[in-house]
Structures are given as structure tokens and as C-alpha cells.
Amino acid sequence: MAIAKQYLKTKPVCKVTFTVPAEDAKKVAVVGDFNDWSPKGSTLKKLKNGTFKGTFDLPKESTYEFKYLVDGEFINETEADGYQWNDYAGSENAVLAL
């Protein structure tokens, strides 16, 4: 798994690319507080090599909690900027700092 950040000089946003290797998965989405934890509109595209990838514009100078939703199962990013405990989920969420 990987996260790539590209800060734009002309806009107050950061292009964030999420990459998830999941050859056997049918559907992968990134969900977090930046999209109200909804997989709609945040599905990653499956590439020929079995990796799922997607890029999203997120406001910079913010932090976001998120997880990947892989075939209905929540998975944390191993290369996150940090982790935050979530009482509602009873587990840690990955943190993205922009």
C-alpha cells in the first residue's frame, strides 16, 4: 500500500493518490472523514497488474482519518502518517496529514 501527495501551487488542495495491491479483490474504496465514510465516489480503479489506484483532491493543511474498504472489509494503510483510536469502530484509523 502507498500514498503519494502532490501539492498544487495554484490551489489550496493536495492531489492524493492511494495505491492498494489486492489482486484477488473485486472492489476497493478509500473511506474517511473527508467523504463521510462513504464508498460512493471513492472506488479505486483496478489496474492490469492487480493493484487498485485512485487520486483525489483534498484540502491541504488538514488531517483526515481513513481506511480502505476491500471487498467489504476495513483495512488500514501501512504507510499512514499516523493512527488514531476510534471508539465507534473499536480500532485504529489511519491518519493522513496534508
Side-chain angles (χ1 to χ4, degrees):
M1 290 183 262
I3 299 173
K5 303 173 189 174
Q6 179 185 4
Y7 293 91
L8 302 181
K9 293 179 181 176
T10 57
K11 296 180 183 176
V13 298
C14 180
K15 286 188 173 292
V16 182
T17 301
F18 298 95
T19 306
V20 180
E23 288 184 27
D24 298 329
K26 291 181 174 40
K27 190 174 183 182
V28 176
V30 59
V31 295
D33 48 15
F34 51 82
N35 63 3
D36 293 325
W37 297 90
S38 173
K40 292 183 180 179
S42 64
T43 302
L44 305 182
K45 182 180 179 182
K46 188 169 190 175
L47 305 178
K48 289 181 182 179
N49 66 3
T51 298
F52 287 79
K53 194 172 192 175
T55 301
F56 303 91
D57 290 349
L58 299 176
K60 62 183 182 180
E61 298 180 8
S62 298
T63 58
Y64 303 97
E65 291 183 30
F66 74 99
K67 285 192 175 192
Y68 297 115
L69 189 58
V70 180
D71 288 342
E73 182 181 341
F74 288 104
I75 297 175
N76 259 336
E77 168 62 60
T78 55
E79 298 180 24
D81 295 323
Y83 299 94
Q84 178 67 44
W85 179 258
N86 183 295
D87 285 331
Y88 180 77
S91 66
E92 288 185 330
N93 291 331
V95 174
L96 175 67
L98 302 179

